[in-house]
């Protein structure tokens, strides 16, 4: 359910300047929350990939060109520690 912000601001804020500021702030916060949610979804996807990597056996790791130690290091990274080549 969407809130009609213009009706809310027009009826509660006395000056046009305050209404413009409130609308701009709401737009900025909405964009920030959207970016945060996308980043959080990416972090969860990467964490799942790291869990899958940790479960691979040595022959499968060799097939993708990494050894057990590298897989262990990667799977042990924190969920917020995202690779630099991944983007939301």
């Amino acid at each position: 359910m969407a809130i009609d912000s213009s009706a809310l601001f027009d009826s509660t804020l006395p000056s046009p300047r305050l209404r413009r500021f409130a609308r701009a702030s709401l737009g900025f916060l909405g964009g920030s929350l959207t970016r945060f949610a996308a980043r959080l979804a990416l972090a969860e996807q990467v964490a799942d990939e790291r869990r899958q990597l940790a479960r691979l056996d040595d022959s499968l790791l060799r097939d993708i060109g990494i050894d057990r130690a590298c897989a262990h290091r990667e799977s042990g990274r924190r969920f917020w520690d995202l690779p630099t080549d991944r983007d939301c």
Side-chain angles (χ1 to χ4, degrees):
M1 182 171 140
I3 297 174
D4 181 11
S5 60
S6 61
L8 175 69
F9 295 140
D10 291 344
S11 64
T12 59
L13 296 176
S15 78
R17 185 175 179 190
L18 282 175
R19 286 193 293 268
R20 283 192 303 275
F21 175 76
R23 284 190 195 107
S25 298
L26 185 63
F28 171 76
L29 288 174
S32 295
L33 290 175
T34 301
R35 285 189 300 278
F36 177 74
R39 189 86 172 153
L40 193 58
L42 176 63
E44 179 56 36
Q45 178 183 355
V46 169
D48 185 50
E49 292 170 2
R50 288 176 177 157
R51 285 188 293 271
Q52 292 174 16
L53 181 66
R55 290 191 296 262
L56 294 178
D57 65 24
D58 290 332
S59 67
L60 291 173
L61 290 173
R62 265 194 311 277
D63 286 348
I64 62 173
I66 62 174
D67 60 7
R68 173 65 52 200
C70 181
H72 182 70
R73 275 193 309 276
E74 181 65 28
S75 64
R77 291 171 67 178
R78 303 288 184 188
F79 79 93
W80 61 80
D81 186 9
L82 299 176
T84 56
D85 63 341
R86 300 285 290 267
D87 216 359
C88 319

